[in-house]
Amino acid sequence: SLAGKMALMPMPTWEEGGIRTSTWGGTGLAITKQCRRPDLAWKLAMYLYYDAAQVGPRFAATDILPPLKTAWTDPAIRAENAFYSGQRLGQEFVNVASQVPKDYDTAYSTQATTKLSEAFTNAATYYEQHGEDGLREFTAGELKRCADQVRRLMARNVFLNDGEQQGVAQ
């Protein structure tokens, strides 16, 4: 029932010449130290990511652009997509692939995202109660408070900490 009713469009930019794409999450593959056959796991990873015969059909099933750039000309990636008003979904992804910002993930990403959401929620509550008066200052304070909480958490990591909690409010 959705066939032909969806379409892709570039995101708006906040500044002249800004990027018109984004990213949400990412994909990755890890071979753990506990793996009994890391050589076989590596072969599987190479097959999944770089076997040219597999990436086209996998794109058709998942709509995930493969990292193998030479496969971006595969007919399955260039095919029209009935759900997207006949747009060539894969080709649209290829057109903006170089503009997608890097997506870094660390052991603290979840906590940082949670704290950012907390600051946003507190700012929204402030706005509901007080309007725009003092909103900018309140929001800046909330962002700093939440960032400092993440910094304190990170400072507990003996592998990252040089023994000092530099720049972190106590």
Side-chain angles (χ1 to χ4, degrees), residues 118-127 129-145:
E118 179 182 324
F120 176 81
T121 300
N122 290 344
T125 301
Y126 180 95
Y127 178 77
Q129 295 172 352
H130 306 283
E132 291 185 24
D133 188 37
L135 178 62
R136 183 178 298 273
E137 295 78 15
F138 178 83
T139 302
E142 280 298 290
L143 288 169
K144 182 178 183 331
R145 181 185 65 78

Side-chain angles (χ1 to χ4, degrees), residues 9-31:
M9 64 175 270
M11 293 175 58
T13 63
W14 298 106
E15 56 196 36
E16 186 72 30
I19 61 172
R20 300 189 64 120
T21 187
S22 184
T23 186
W24 181 5
T27 60
L29 183 123
I31 300 172

